[in-house]
Amino acid sequence: MTIAPLAAHATDRPAPAFRGRIGRDARSGHYAVPGRYRLHLSTACPDGLRIAVTHSLLGLDTVCPVTHLPAVPDCPEGGHSALRPLYEASAHRYRGPAVGPVLSDDWSGRIVSTHTPDIMRDLARRFSTGGTSLHPCGAESEIEAVERMCREGIEEAAQRAGSAGEDAVVCDTALTTLLDTLGALDRWLTGRTFLIRDEVTAADVELWAALVQLDTVHRNHLDAAAVQRIADHPTLWAYARRLAAHPAFGGHLDLDGIERRHHARCRGLEAAGAAVRILDWAAHRTR
């Protein structure tokens, strides 16, 4: 699968505070040991949702336990007070927000990584039990292309398209980018069950989480006509429905938490698109 270059622009996504990796053996410092590491995440957060789905697909409940964080952070700067001790133990006089998701080392009481793509890859590569292969051999470039397409062509484009007070030309250009991306994905998925292989991969986790965010958060700041055009990709949204019915995907949907987190963080104006629901996620996740 190919991705067309997208125009470079600034992003408000913060740089990860910690970016350690899980290695192959003891020489790497952090190496794969069942029960040594712990995830701290909220599934109301799109990155937390991605990690939770990955964790479930790999069947790592006992190998790498999960501590669930509240949907709405309880610190003024957007962090979680429960994570503050980990951050302070990991960096001398740390003053930034204690945000999730976090992969921590229970042996040392310190943070390994706050970088979601690295965490997902290390879970898949270092703790896989030989069942689901989320990063099959030869698929890495395709997965990276999908990650970029979701980040720039869906999430960031939707954010810019619905930005209150933004220049109309910027909003229209962003909406065009979003619709072009959705159209390309809709055509690509025709006759396919999954995105890049005949079984679920990390690319499906990325796209599904981006579609959840698009329908539950971003559409609230778009006009009704734009949301109708977004919804007019039947193959893509049928794909999203199928994955929502999978326990590893739909089982982590915290729709109430997503709504509360959005309203707590958002400073934008609600638009007519808020009344145009694309999928009934609650109904599809219980089937």
Side-chain angles (χ1 to χ4, degrees):
M1 186 176 186
T2 58
I3 176 172
L6 297 169
H9 61 276
T11 176
D12 59 1
R13 181 172 294 188
F18 301 91
R19 199 169 175 181
R21 301 300 300 267
I22 306 297
R24 293 182 179 276
D25 51 44
R27 292 174 295 179
S28 63
H30 292 114
Y31 56 97
V33 178
R36 175 177 177 179
Y37 303 98
R38 180 176 298 273
L39 290 166
H40 309 257
L41 55 85
S42 166
T43 56
C45 159
D47 281 341
L49 180 60
R50 287 181 173 92
I51 294 174
V53 172
T54 298
H55 184 267
S56 289
L57 287 169
L58 296 170
L60 300 181
D61 286 347
T62 59
V63 173
C64 183
V66 175
T67 295
H68 289 279
L69 301 170
V72 181
D74 58 351
C75 294
E77 76 282 8
H80 294 272
S81 59
L83 295 177
R84 177 58 58 179
L86 274 174
Y87 273 83
E88 292 179 348
S90 305
H92 182 58
R93 295 183 178 178
Y94 179 81
R95 293 293 181 266
V99 298
V102 165
L103 176 67
S104 69
D105 180 356
D106 280 353
W107 288 5
S108 66
R110 296 183 178 183
I111 294 172
V112 177
S113 181
T114 58
H115 187 252
T116 296
D118 287 350
I119 293 172
M120 293 170 64
R121 281 172 169 78
D122 287 350
L123 291 176
R125 292 170 175 168
R126 306 304 181 209
F127 294 101
S128 176
T129 58
T132 301
S133 178
L134 297 182
H135 291 263
C137 183
E140 198 56 38
S141 63
E142 293 173 283
I143 292 171
E144 290 175 356
V146 171
E147 289 173 349
R148 183 168 176 242
M149 177 179 279
C150 292
R151 182 179 67 252
E152 299 181 13
I154 299 179
E155 294 177 345
E156 293 177 8
Q159 181 75 34
R160 295 196 310 278
S163 295
E166 186 61 270
D167 182 89
V169 174
V170 173
C171 291
D172 289 345
T173 300
L175 180 60
T176 297
T177 297
L178 172 61
L179 293 171
D180 287 348
T181 302
L182 298 179
L185 289 164
D186 191 72
R187 292 188 296 274
W188 177 264
L189 282 165
T190 300
R192 298 173 182 267
T193 301
F194 300 108
L195 195 55
I196 63 172
R197 292 292 187 271
D198 292 333
E199 58 185 2
V200 67
T201 68
D204 298 292
V205 178
E206 287 291 334
L207 177 55
W208 186 77
L211 293 175
V212 170
Q213 188 77 353
L214 178 59
D215 189 20
T216 60
V217 173
H218 293 305
R219 70 168 168 81
N220 291 296
H221 303 291
L222 297 168
D223 63 41
V227 177
Q228 293 287 4
R229 295 172 71 188
I230 289 168
D232 191 23
H233 296 91
T235 303
L236 180 62
W237 292 107
Y239 160 88
R241 282 198 302 272
R242 288 197 305 273
L243 290 184
H246 190 303
F249 287 83
H252 290 295
L253 266 179
D254 180 7
L255 298 171
D256 176 68
I258 291 172
E259 182 178 8
R260 288 188 288 111
R261 181 178 184 273
H262 172 60
H263 287 302
R265 291 164 49 94
C266 183
R267 298 295 178 267
L269 299 176
E270 186 173 278
V276 185
R277 184 171 60 181
I278 299 174
L279 288 189
D280 184 349
W281 295 95
H284 297 306
R285 72 179 177 182
T286 59
R287 291 181 180 177

